[in-house]
Amino acid sequence: MTDLPSSATKARSAKPTLRTIAKLTGLAVTTVSRALSDAPQISLETRQRVHQVARDIGYMPDRAAQRLKTGRTNVISILLDPHEEVVGFGTSIMYGITKALQRTPYHLIVMPNYMATSNVEAVDYILRNNLADGLIFSRTEPLDPRVRRLLEHGFPFVCHGRTEFSMPHPFVDYDNFAFAYEATRRMIAKGRRKVTIILPPKRLTFHQHMLHGFMTAVREAGIAYEIPENINLDSPADMVRDHFRRRAEASDAPDGFICPGEVSALAAISALSDLGQILSKNYDIVAKQTSRLLSQIQPKVDTIYEDLTAAGEQLGRILLKRIANPEADDLQLLQPPQIGFPTATTG
C-alpha cells in the first residue's frame, strides 16, 4: 500500500474526490482526472501512483457526473440465469468477468433472470434507461429476441452461447458438440451397449449442438441409444433420479450415461445405487464438470471440464473490445472441452 500523508486519514472519513487525490499527490486536478482515465499523455509512473492513491482512499467516480459528461455509465450489466444443475455457474462466470474488468473504470451489476424464457423485458429496461454501457447474458436461443433487440439498437453485448442469426455478433461458447461426441465415444470404447444423454431444454441453441454430437457418435458406431423426453438439463435432481430408477428396472435399460452437469450425474448414481448397481461395473458415466467437485466425490466418473471462469474472463474482454470499437472483429470464441480421461478404457 502507498504511504499516504497524514491527511489521508481525514480523507477516508469523507467521500473522496478528485481534489482529495490532487491534494494527496501534489498534482493538479486536471492531471489526476487524466491519469485516472489512463490518458497516454500522462506518464505511466504518474498514472500508477494516482490509481494506487485512489484505491487506498476508496475513491469512486461520480457516475452521474460522468454520465452527463461522457454519456457513459461505466457499468457492465449481466443477466444471470440461476440454474442449479451447473455447479457454481454464476459465481464462476462473474469471477472471470471481474478479472477482465480489473484496472478499468467499469463495474459489474447483476440482474437476476428468473423467467423461463429469454428476458427481453430486462434488455428493454436497460436500453430505455441507459443503465449500462454493455450487456452480458447466457442461455441463448437460435433466434434469441435479446440478440435481435441489441443488434437493432447497436448496443454493445456479448452472449455466452451462440444463435442462428446471419449477422455476426460477439459470443463466447463451449463446444457442446465436441463434449457430447467425445463423451459418447468414451462410452462406446468402454463397451457399453446402450447409451443415453440428458439434453438441455429444446429452446436453447446448445440443445442442437449436444444432440448433433451425440447422434454423430452413435450413428458412426451403430450402437443402441435413447433420449429421455421427460427430463432435461433444467429438471430437478429428484426428477432425474426417479427417471433413471424407473429405466434401470427395465430389460432394455441403458448402461452408459452422458450427463451435462454434476447434479444429474450424482442423481443417476443415486438411482442406480438404490438398485444395487455398481459404477464402472454395471454402468458408466461421462459428465460435464465445472467445479472439480464430482471427481473428488466419485473418481470413477469420467469427466470433461468446462472452465467457466475462463469463459467469464473472455466475455469481459470481448465486451470491452466491442465497447471501445464497434467495428472490432475477432469477437467470437469457441472453448474446446478439456478432456482428461484415464488411459484405461475398461471398468
Side-chain angles (χ1 to χ4, degrees), residues 111-304:
M111 296 186 65
N113 177 19
Y114 294 101
M115 301 179 67
T117 58
S118 294
N119 195 351
V120 72
E121 291 83 4
V123 171
D124 287 337
Y125 183 74
I126 291 169
L127 291 172
R128 185 168 56 250
N129 295 285
N130 190 26
L131 296 179
D133 297 330
L135 182 61
I136 297 171
F137 54 93
S138 63
R139 294 167 71 81
T140 52
E141 300 177 10
L143 297 176
D144 198 297
R146 299 167 297 181
V147 171
R148 186 191 302 276
R149 190 66 50 85
L150 292 163
L151 287 173
E152 289 172 350
H153 285 78
F155 189 84
F157 74 93
V158 58
C159 48
H160 187 236
R162 285 168 282 174
T163 68
E164 294 181 358
F165 286 108
S166 58
M167 180 179 294
H169 61 78
F171 70 78
V172 173
D173 200 7
Y174 179 78
D175 193 341
N176 282 287
F177 172 93
F179 161 76
Y181 181 77
E182 295 299 338
T184 308
R185 281 169 52 87
R186 177 65 172 173
M187 292 292 90
I188 295 167
K190 298 186 84 167
R192 292 305 164 191
R193 55 179 177 74
K194 186 175 185 179
V195 293
T196 186
I197 185 171
I198 300 176
L199 293 172
K202 291 181 179 179
R203 68 181 180 85
L204 301 177
T205 309
F206 77 114
H207 170 95
Q208 301 173 11
H209 300 155
M210 201 172 288
L211 176 61
H212 187 199
F214 177 73
M215 292 305 302
T216 300
V218 297
R219 285 169 177 164
E220 287 177 354
I223 191 174
Y225 69 92
E226 69 177 50
I227 300 173
E229 290 292 331
N230 61 325
I231 58 171
N232 59 45
L233 174 69
D234 290 356
S235 299
D238 57 347
M239 185 181 294
V240 175
R241 184 186 63 246
D242 292 345
H243 167 82
F244 283 135
R245 183 183 290 134
R246 287 192 301 270
R247 287 296 298 123
E249 293 175 331
S251 59
D252 63 342
D255 59 355
F257 299 82
I258 298 159
C259 300
E262 291 145 296
V263 174
S264 56
L266 291 170
I269 292 169
S270 174
L272 296 169
S273 296
D274 288 347
L275 298 175
Q277 296 197 26
I278 301 171
L279 178 62
S280 80
K281 180 180 179 181
N282 305 113
Y283 69 97
D284 280 294
I285 291 178
V286 177
K288 183 191 292 185
Q289 186 170 226
T290 56
S291 70
R292 307 290 189 188
L293 177 66
L294 186 60
S295 58
Q296 299 296 321
I297 299 174
Q298 292 288 346
K300 291 184 179 180
V301 173
D302 285 324
T303 58
I304 298 177

Side-chain angles (χ1 to χ4, degrees), residues 66-82:
Q66 283 190 332
R67 186 169 169 179
L68 288 172
K69 183 178 179 180
T70 67
R72 289 191 171 181
T73 64
N74 284 343
V75 168
I76 300 296
S77 187
I78 177 172
L79 291 177
L80 195 60
D81 266 293

Side-chain angles (χ1 to χ4, degrees), residues 48-59:
Q48 290 175 337
R49 182 160 63 98
V50 169
H51 277 289
Q52 184 62 59
V53 170
R55 286 191 293 271
D56 289 343
I57 66 173
Y59 168 77

